[in-house]
Amino acid sequence: MTGADLSAAERFAAAKVRNRSRNLELFRADLRFDLDPFQFAACDALDQGRSVLVAAPTGAGKTIVAEFAIWLAMRQPTAKVFYTTPMKALSNQKYAELVEVYGESEVGLLTGDTNVNPRARVVVMTTEVLRNMIYADSDLLDDLAWVVLDEVHYLADRFRGAVWEEVILHLPTEVRLVSLSATVSNAEEFGDWLQAVRGDTDVIVSEDRPVPLEQHVLVGSKMVDLFDSSGAAATNRVNPELLRMVGGASRSERHGGGHRGGRGRGGYPDRRGPRTEKLHRERIAHMLDERMLLPAIFFVFSRAGCDQGVRNVLRSGLSLTTVPERNEIRETAEYHCRTLPDEDLAVLGYWEFLEGLERGVAAHHAGMLPAFKEVVENLFQRKLLKVVFATETLALGVNMPARTVVLEKLEKFNGEARVPITPGEYTQLTGRAGRRGIDVEGHSVIQWTDGLDPQAVASLASRRTYPLNSSFKPTYNMAVNLIDQFGRQRTREVLETSFAQFQADRSVVDLARKVRSQQESLEGYREAMQCHLGDFTEYSTLRRELSDLERTNVPGGREASHGARQERQAAITAVRRQMQRHPCHACPDREAHARWAERWWKLKRVNDKLLQQIRSRTGAVATTFDRVTDVLLQLGYLVDAGNGEATVAAGGRRLQRIYGDRDLLVAECLEAGVWKDLTPAQLAAMAATIIYQPRRDDAPGTEHALPRGAFRPALDETLTIWSRLDDIERDARLAGSVPPTPAMAVGMFRWASGSALDDVLRTLDLPAGDFVRWSKQVIDLLDQIRNAGDDDLAQTARRATDAVRRGIVAYAAV
């Protein structure tokens, strides 16, 4: 239709859209590709000055929306953008990308241990850094126009998720948000909350993968499609060939019934089909290479398994690279690791690592040295690495798409038991398959193991979404910071607007609806059990009491004393007499009334449970805040100002500068001065004691060689303070905490005292990557102690920081 064919009203509307989207058209003109519908809708909303929540699959191109927000800000004289990510590696990667576009002068980076150009127009940071800025009322927030919350679905993380809610709740109202999320099943609910607390927010959801996913199952050495690909096949119907290969459908399934067998591994029904021999990792890699399905990521749910996968390939002699590629790989590895001390390279297994890289294979997991992980990420993005054995953290981390994703198992260890992976986890893992602009399609390969159920696998693979649930809970640091800003009553109101309470309130609405429906049924049952002779509710209560007495065993069973048995029999006789004397006992319709009464009692029990759930959920966040506040008042961090208000005391000022799970313990130790006599190396060891949380499979250094001198009495006092706080918290009906462990103290003391890396890693029995990660958390806590402690302790903390930040800990690539 031409412009001449349009009515005046249509021409006016079209001109209005063109005018409104002038910025967007200018932005599109510089792109090498056209925007997808969801990208256009989100950018159009930003152009109108609205916030957006964009939920789309991994690799769909959500970040173009964030880039448009940055583009808009840079067209204004002073507007700033903060780009937040959940991980330092992601922040480093995004910083490098933005520097390429806008130059080093316009882009900054803040990750806790890296501080580059913080007053730039565009600053990349971890979400915790932004939260801390807000509480500190930092002047860096001046002129802030946009905040990008990348991977905002981390809000569901039970350890760190609360930080995202704190940022969303407490950013200045004029700041607009660009929230980028993986595909979640309740994006509209999350968007409704953002609308309620932030104002104008558009929710844009796309469930279309930019690169279609072909899903396969590897049975022995044969790879078959998971789903029936015939045109007449029902949606997500299991491939009949796969069913034949693994033993076919059970008899009950063929007749439409459910599976009656036991449970197999991973929670799936045990099918007892023919046993299949699993193909070794190196043979799978070779097969994928022959089928042109590399590069591939093998997701292995253990660090040891990842390292073993690389060794398997090396032992097999398989090489997946050309001579020019090997030369380029070696140059890249040497460049990234150039700052590492030569004496540490052998300790870190550098030469074996390099041999794997040159063959086109590597591991990627949290136990690796950050420098090594950066090499792997760089080479994989440049298509020089062909196979990476990775833990699931890669699925949530840096941008490393592959042509193929291989899942060796559909179960993982969750810290307590082996459990099946969820549909959401499966979506995240397979989201890495298919490189936009390179692959026509991505491939996922599930390695068949005996005991799997094809129907259960198909169900897992066909469900694309998962719910986003809040993990928000008030902390001591949060409480003192918010009370200082808003006062106690206003803070309570603010916390009642959290997503946690929003979800709880919505669930309460559904529960209340059920209660109302059941109340009507209860009234009907009550009418049906009415007796003209008396109160049948009273009579039915006696009947239930008698029934309970007759079913209840006497304490001690057969060995019970004669007196106990007599006492029980007397109670039964007394209740039976009461029943027989009750007017309703003589009613000819007694048993009919009793049947209705039994229905009434059963439904009442269910209804009472629902009412209890409602009571526990209504105001749950504010109730926790009240308990936290009561503890702070009891310990003197807050002062009761009357009328339900409180003010922050001197100790509270210190607590405002301490973040983390043990914020109150650190504040109490500083208040009591228990660390004042420690040397820098001892203080580093104490910081390690506070922050360290052993993994189940860790075997950290023993405690018999704890630092001597002032450390041991300081540790005893610290543990005494923890015990006292734990009692206070439990009395206040708050969840207590596990005691601090000095398991890492010896190794950290030796490192801060100048010991060699080899000696320290042997003492701790920790992978180098874990040691670096914990060391950086030690540095972070030492910085907090320096800011919150007295002058002498601040000096000790500064020297301790310098002592820890050396060698591989000091390495930080940007």
Side-chain angles (χ1 to χ4, degrees), residues 502-768:
F502 186 83
Q503 288 190 305
D505 289 342
R506 285 207 164 184
S507 67
V508 162
V509 170
D510 293 335
L511 290 173
R513 191 179 296 118
K514 285 183 184 177
V515 166
R516 283 196 298 273
S517 171
Q518 291 177 357
Q519 289 285 11
E520 294 173 9
S521 298
L522 283 169
E523 289 303 316
Y525 294 164
R526 186 186 287 276
E527 285 182 26
M529 71 179 186
Q530 291 276 339
C531 179
H532 65 289
L533 296 178
D535 183 349
F536 204 87
T537 304
E538 186 178 79
Y539 179 72
S540 67
T541 302
L542 291 171
R543 281 178 67 119
R544 290 178 67 84
E545 188 178 343
L546 178 62
S547 177
D548 290 343
L549 280 169
E550 289 175 337
R551 280 200 306 264
T552 303
N553 292 324
V554 181
R558 292 182 179 180
E559 304 301 321
S561 67
H562 177 70
R565 290 199 298 274
Q566 275 194 320
E567 188 176 331
R568 173 172 174 268
Q569 190 55 49
I572 290 172
T573 302
V575 174
R576 186 174 284 129
R577 282 176 182 163
Q578 282 183 277
M579 275 181 52
Q580 291 168 349
R581 291 172 186 160
H582 197 283
C584 293
H585 190 68
C587 179
D589 298 322
R590 182 184 70 200
E591 293 309 310
H593 295 328
R595 284 193 292 273
W596 285 110
E598 189 59 28
R599 292 176 188 172
W600 184 86
W601 278 109
K602 285 182 179 177
L603 187 59
K604 184 176 184 302
R605 190 184 306 119
V606 171
N607 219 41
D608 287 346
K609 286 183 179 178
L610 289 177
L611 289 169
Q612 179 57 40
Q613 287 183 47
I614 290 174
R615 282 192 293 271
S616 67
R617 294 183 188 186
T618 305
V621 175
T623 299
T624 302
F625 168 72
D626 286 340
R627 293 170 182 171
V628 165
T629 304
D630 289 342
V631 170
L632 293 172
L633 285 166
Q634 180 180 342
L635 294 173
Y637 290 91
L638 295 174
V639 177
D640 190 343
N643 298 319
E645 283 298 338
T647 57
V648 178
R653 299 288 174 198
R654 176 183 285 118
L655 182 55
Q656 284 180 282
R657 299 191 290 274
I658 302 168
Y659 304 93
D661 291 339
R662 298 197 187 275
D663 48 6
L664 189 58
L665 174 61
V666 173
E668 281 288 278
C669 288
L670 294 179
E671 190 75 18
V674 300
W675 301 337
K676 61 183 175 61
D677 296 326
L678 298 179
T679 66
Q682 289 173 339
L683 185 60
M686 186 62 71
T689 300
I690 296 296
I691 59 97
Y692 184 64
Q693 298 170 5
R695 285 162 48 94
R696 184 179 180 273
D697 54 351
D698 279 348
T702 56
E703 300 168 22
H704 68 274
L706 288 174
R708 300 188 182 280
F711 182 84
R712 296 191 185 199
L715 176 62
D716 290 341
E717 289 187 64
T718 299
L719 292 174
T720 299
I721 290 173
W722 169 82
S723 180
R724 176 172 57 84
L725 290 178
D726 192 58
D727 289 342
I728 291 172
E729 287 177 316
R730 293 181 190 279
D731 288 346
R733 288 181 294 165
L734 290 167
S737 60
V738 297
T741 171
M744 194 180 175
V746 178
M748 185 55 62
F749 175 78
R750 291 182 181 175
W751 177 253
S753 299
S755 290
L757 176 65
D758 187 25
D759 173 52
V760 172
L761 294 183
R762 203 165 46 243
T763 298
L764 291 173
D765 195 17
L766 277 180

Side-chain angles (χ1 to χ4, degrees), residues 486-506:
F486 305 118
R488 182 177 182 179
Q489 293 302 324
R490 172 69 183 133
T491 294
R492 201 176 190 279
E493 293 168 9
V494 168
L495 295 181
E496 285 178 330
T497 65
S498 66
F499 187 46
Q501 192 58 56
F502 186 83
Q503 288 190 305
D505 289 342
R506 285 207 164 184

